[in-house]
Amino acid sequence: AQSVTQLGSHVSVSEGALVLLRCNYSSSVPPYLFWYVQYPNQGLQLLLKYTSAATLVKGINGFEAEFKKSETSFHLTKPSAHMSDAAEYFCAVTERAGANNLFFGTGTRLTVIP
Amino acid sequence: GAGVSQTPSNKVTEKGKYVELRCDPISGHTALYWYRQSLGQGPEFLIYFQGTGAADDSGLPNDRFFAVRPEGSVSTLKIQRTERGDSAVYLCASSLGDRGDGGELFFGEGSRLTVL
């Protein structure tokens, strides 16, 4: 079965600093990878997804992620953190090409310090 | 409505009771998913509907859990003989259909179930 590992359940950054949230996946086939964000009292929202096109994927709110097959990673970055980025971020992978359900990581809570 | 709607937002029940959680997906979305999110964990897949039929129910933990979608729109997740371990946030999501690329899932805010 596919799985994702998110290193760091909590990450704190200063406003304006680089955001780096880590995600590693285990997969025996090329996966489809996603980052979702959950703001307080809101449902999960799609930030970006990788579906075997460009390895550098740009998402909403200035976030991007790079698919690195050699490292089995799909880390999420943003050059300059904003207070509104404070949320919980989940990396997810499909079980297999053609599948419809997602397997989620345990999440990383991002705190932005003013 | 514009988004996925879940009711109730909060449900407190006693061990052994029966519970129903409702999900109203985005209009026109043929695919509907139920996930469960326990404290400190990511969402865990329960069941997926394509139209009225359960295309994949491999995530249901046991036979106390059941879900229906009789008309291909609203879905109800049913939990019999609730146990304290069932306490979690139950998330519903919908998407445009079986596109095989995972698609974008649109999530509701969830129903928080507490079993005392």
Side-chain angles (χ1 to χ4, degrees), chain A residues 32 34 36 38 41-44 46 49 51 90 94-95 97-102 104-106, chain B residues 33 35 37 40-43 45 48 56 91 97-105 107-109:
Chain A
Y32 297 112
F34 304 78
Y36 277 82
Q38 189 171 31
N41 300 315
Q42 295 187 28
L44 287 153
L46 180 68
K49 65 179 180 181
T51 57
F90 293 93
T94 55
E95 183 180 30
N100 293 279
N101 55 315
L102 299 180
F104 285 84
T106 53
Chain B
Y33 309 76
Y35 285 80
Q37 187 174 15
Q41 301 297 315
F45 171 75
Y48 155 62
D56 184 351
L91 301 173
D98 188 357
R99 298 186 298 180
D101 66 352
E104 177 175 356
L105 301 189
F107 283 84
E109 295 183 13

Side-chain angles (χ1 to χ4, degrees), chain B residues 21-106:
Chain B
L21 306 175
R22 175 189 167 107
C23 173
D24 198 343
I26 293 173
S27 177
H29 281 191
T30 60
L32 185 146
Y33 309 76
W34 283 100
Y35 285 80
R36 177 170 68 175
Q37 187 174 15
S38 301
L39 193 63
Q41 301 297 315
E44 174 191 19
F45 171 75
L46 295 177
I47 187 169
Y48 155 62
F49 287 89
Q50 181 59 240
T52 60
D56 184 351
D57 64 357
S58 63
L60 294 178
N62 51 59
D63 61 6
R64 296 187 298 105
F65 288 75
F66 190 70
V68 296
R69 195 185 185 200
E71 297 178 358
S73 179
V74 172
S75 176
T76 304
L77 178 66
K78 308 181 181 192
I79 310 174
Q80 299 178 320
R81 306 183 302 281
T82 53
E83 299 178 357
R84 292 193 180 87
D86 298 335
S87 297
V89 177
Y90 289 82
L91 301 173
C92 178
S94 68
S95 71
L96 282 171
D98 188 357
R99 298 186 298 180
D101 66 352
E104 177 175 356
L105 301 189
F106 294 83

Side-chain angles (χ1 to χ4, degrees), chain A residues 3-106:
Chain A
S3 66
V4 291
T5 302
Q6 293 185 241
L7 294 177
S9 59
H10 291 85
V11 170
S12 293
V13 299
S14 298
E15 190 175 16
L18 171 72
V19 176
L20 170 61
L21 305 182
R22 299 179 185 274
C23 173
N24 288 88
Y25 66 91
S26 66
S27 171
S28 59
V29 298
Y32 297 112
L33 293 154
F34 304 78
W35 276 99
Y36 277 82
V37 60
Q38 189 171 31
Y39 297 105
N41 300 315
Q42 295 187 28
L44 287 153
Q45 301 175 32
L46 180 68
L47 262 183
L48 49 82
K49 65 179 180 181
Y50 166 76
T51 57
S52 74
T55 56
L56 181 63
V57 181
K58 294 186 183 299
I60 61 172
N61 301 337
F63 284 92
E64 62 182 36
E66 186 172 7
F67 172 71
K68 291 187 176 180
K69 185 177 179 180
S70 61
E71 299 178 6
T72 62
S73 69
F74 191 57
H75 302 331
L76 182 70
T77 60
K78 181 174 180 177
S80 176
H82 192 273
M83 296 298 294
S84 61
D85 295 328
E88 186 137 25
Y89 293 79
F90 293 93
C91 183
V93 62
T94 55
E95 183 180 30
R96 60 189 185 279
N100 293 279
N101 55 315
L102 299 180
F103 288 87
F104 285 84
T106 53

